[in-house]
Amino acid sequence: MKKKNKTTQLIVVLILIFSLILLSICIAIYAAGDIGTEGTGPYPEETENMTQMSETEPDKESENTENMTQMSEIQSDAENETASNMTQVSEMEDTQAYFTASAITEEIFERINGCSYVENEDIALEDLRYLKILHIGFDGEEHEGELIVNQAIADDILEIMEALYQNQYPIERMVLVDEYDGDDEKSMQANNTSCFNYRTVEGSRNLSKHSYGLAIDMNPFYNPCVRTYADGSSKSFPEGSDEYADRSKDFPYKIDQDDLCYQLFTEHGFRWGGTWNSLKDYQHFDKQIN
C-alpha cells in the first residue's frame, strides 16, 4: 500500500514539474511576442505625430517651391530686361558705326586701284569718299553695305540711305563694283547697288557720271536700262532683265514715281533716268554739281 502511494506521489511531482516547465515556455513565448510587436513600428501616439509632421512637410515644400518659382520669375524678368537693354544698346552701337563717310584709306585704295579707279585727270582720290551703310536685304535682314561716292554728294547719299533703312526699303546687295572686277554688266546681273566706277557710257567714248562718283544704280536687275533703237527695237541691260523693262507691269522692287527711293533722291536734287527719252535708265540717279 505504501509502495502504491509513493508511485502516485512521484507521478504528481512529475506532472507538477512538467506543468512548471510548460508554463515557463508559454511565458517566454508571450514575452517574445510583446518585444516583436514593439519593434515593428511606433506607438499610436508616435504614428499620429509622424502623420502630422508628414502633413506639415508638404506645406513647407509647397511654400519653398512657390518661393523658388517667384524667385525664378523675378530672375527671368531681370534677365529679360537686361537682354532688352543689351539689344537696344547693340542696335544703337551698330547704327552709330554706319552711315558714315571717310576718306579713301590705303586699304580701300588697294581694293580699287587698277579696277574701278585708275590714274586720270578727271577725278582724284581726294574727291571721293568711302561710305559704310546699313540696308535691309531681300531676306528682310540687316546687311552691311559700302559705296564710294563723290564727296559733294556723300551727305545726300547717307541721308537717303538712312531713310531707306529706317523705312525697311529692300536693297538686295551693296558692295563695291570691284567685287565684279569693275564689270558693270556683272554687277547689274547680281542686282548690286553701286556708285563709283571710272568708265565710259555704254556704246560711247563719253565718261559716265559714275566716273565722277555722281551717279548711283539702285537694284539694277529689277530696274534695267532700256535702250530703244531707230528701227523701234529695244534692248535691256543687264542681260536677262527683259521682263522688267515693261514698267506698266506690277512687280516687286520696281522704281517708279510713287516709289520711296524715287521720292528721296529727287527731293535731294537728283535726276532719275526713268524720265529720259530714247534711253530709259530706271536704276539710275545722278546729280549735277558745279
Side-chain angles (χ1 to χ4, degrees):
M1 182 71 180
K2 290 180 179 179
K3 184 177 182 180
K4 185 175 180 182
N5 289 337
K6 289 181 178 179
T7 301
T8 302
Q9 291 173 354
L10 180 60
I11 291 171
V12 171
V13 170
L14 290 174
I15 291 172
L16 289 172
I17 293 171
F18 179 78
S19 298
L20 289 172
I21 293 171
L22 183 62
L23 180 61
S24 298
I25 292 172
C26 290
I27 292 172
I29 291 172
Y30 181 80
D34 285 346
I35 294 172
T37 302
E38 290 176 358
T40 58
Y43 290 109
E45 183 179 353
E46 293 177 344
T47 302
E48 182 178 356
N49 291 337
M50 291 180 66
T51 301
Q52 292 174 351
M53 291 175 63
S54 176
E55 291 174 351
T56 304
E57 287 176 357
D59 292 338
K60 291 182 177 179
E61 291 178 358
S62 177
E63 183 178 353
N64 290 337
T65 301
E66 183 178 355
N67 291 337
M68 291 178 66
T69 301
Q70 292 175 351
M71 290 176 63
S72 176
E73 290 175 352
I74 293 172
Q75 183 177 4
S76 177
D77 291 340
E79 290 175 351
N80 289 337
E81 182 177 357
T82 301
S84 177
N85 291 336
M86 288 178 65
T87 300
Q88 292 174 0
V89 170
S90 175
E91 288 175 351
M92 289 175 64
E93 289 176 350
D94 286 344
T95 301
Q96 291 172 355
Y98 292 91
F99 305 108
T100 60
S102 61
I104 304 299
T105 63
E106 185 64 28
E107 180 184 357
I108 299 299
F109 177 68
E110 290 179 359
R111 291 176 59 189
I112 67 176
N113 188 32
C115 192
S116 66
Y117 180 83
V118 295
E119 290 293 332
N120 66 89
E121 298 179 353
D122 303 296
I123 185 75
L125 284 175
E126 292 76 13
D127 296 327
L128 300 175
R129 293 293 180 267
Y130 174 75
L131 309 186
K132 291 178 67 176
I133 292 167
L134 278 182
H135 68 94
I136 304 300
F138 284 4
D139 56 3
E141 302 293 329
E142 289 184 351
H143 295 274
E144 300 177 7
E146 57 180 354
L147 292 170
I148 291 179
V149 306
N150 192 296
Q151 64 173 338
I153 66 168
D155 290 342
D156 288 318
I157 296 296
L158 288 177
E159 290 177 13
I160 292 168
M161 290 301 171
E162 187 165 8
L164 292 175
Y165 167 76
Q166 295 293 344
N167 284 276
Q168 303 287 293
Y169 188 93
I171 300 172
E172 184 172 18
R173 189 171 288 105
M174 189 186 298
V175 298
L176 301 186
V177 72
D178 304 85
E179 298 296 323
Y180 303 95
D181 302 319
D183 189 321
D184 189 50
E185 174 69 17
K186 290 180 181 178
S187 179
M188 289 190 295
Q189 285 185 351
N191 200 35
N192 180 50
T193 294
S194 65
C195 185
F196 175 73
N197 189 10
Y198 191 80
R199 63 175 178 81
T200 59
V201 176
E202 179 71 25
S204 78
R205 305 173 79 175
N206 299 325
L207 283 178
S208 165
K209 286 280 188 180
H210 290 279
S211 298
Y212 302 96
L214 295 172
I216 185 169
D217 293 336
M218 299 290 298
N219 287 333
F221 191 83
Y222 295 88
N223 299 282
C225 174
V226 183
R227 185 181 295 277
T228 301
Y229 300 98
D231 61 0
S233 63
S234 63
K235 184 177 181 179
S236 299
F237 303 92
E239 186 176 350
S241 62
D242 294 346
E243 62 180 303
Y244 304 110
D246 185 353
R247 309 308 281 187
S248 65
K249 294 181 179 179
D250 188 22
F251 51 82
Y253 321 121
K254 182 179 76 170
I255 297 174
D256 57 22
Q257 294 182 348
D258 295 323
D259 186 63
L260 177 62
C261 185
Y262 167 86
Q263 294 169 0
L264 289 172
F265 273 102
T266 54
E267 285 172 5
H268 281 76
F270 286 77
R271 63 172 185 168
W272 179 46
T275 60
W276 296 348
N277 295 323
S278 61
L279 176 69
K280 298 289 188 181
D281 203 349
Y282 299 107
Q283 63 195 256
H284 181 101
F285 293 93
D286 66 40
K287 190 171 186 179
Q288 183 70 36
I289 60 173
N290 296 327

